Amino acid sequence: EQIGRVLTGIISNRKPLKLSDDTPKPIKGYRPLFQETYTWNKYSDEPDKRKAEMKKLKKQINRERKGVARELRRDAVFISEQKEKEKNARAQELRAERLK
């Protein structure tokens, strides 16, 4: 009996679904900032010139460090290949002497 009353109250309060009439609000637009003298540099956004210069120098140091590491790896590979060639040449000479 009590459940029946609650259900009838809920059913009587129901309203059908309908599309909302709200129009979408436009996104507020801002005028872009243009600089008269623009230089393309990714460090130019930094307001502090000294900090921008430090950032630039750190990037350059890291680039140099990576370049040196790459050169050392290539040199190591080259040296090991040369040693291997010398070793193979000596082994060939020894084989030639043994066969005589």
Side-chain angles (χ1 to χ4, degrees):
E1 184 181 311
Q2 189 177 4
I3 294 175
R5 272 187 272 139
V6 171
L7 283 176
T8 54
I10 290 173
I11 291 172
S12 64
N13 289 337
R14 284 189 183 175
K15 294 177 184 160
L17 293 175
K18 62 179 181 177
L19 287 174
S20 64
D21 295 333
D22 296 338
T23 58
K25 296 178 183 175
I27 299 171
K28 189 174 181 181
Y30 295 100
R31 285 185 57 196
L33 289 174
F34 290 105
Q35 297 175 353
E36 292 295 324
T37 57
Y38 179 75
T39 55
W40 187 82
N41 185 357
K42 65 180 176 181
Y43 303 106
S44 64
D45 293 340
E46 194 71 45
D48 185 11
K49 296 288 182 189
R50 188 167 177 228
K51 196 172 183 181
E53 187 67 25
M54 289 300 293
K55 210 176 198 183
K56 187 175 180 181
L57 290 174
K58 281 183 181 179
K59 183 72 173 176
Q60 186 177 356
I61 288 170
N62 284 339
R63 201 175 309 130
E64 290 288 329
R65 185 180 297 139
K66 287 178 184 178
V68 168
R70 189 180 315 115
E71 284 182 31
L72 288 174
R73 280 194 306 270
R74 288 179 183 166
D75 288 346
V77 168
F78 177 76
I79 289 171
S80 66
E81 286 174 355
Q82 290 297 328
K83 284 182 181 179
E84 190 68 29
K85 284 179 184 177
E86 290 174 9
K87 185 178 175 183
N88 288 340
R90 275 189 254 135
Q92 291 253 341
E93 288 174 8
L94 288 174
R95 284 188 199 125
E97 286 178 14
R98 287 183 194 160
L99 292 176
K100 285 185 182 181

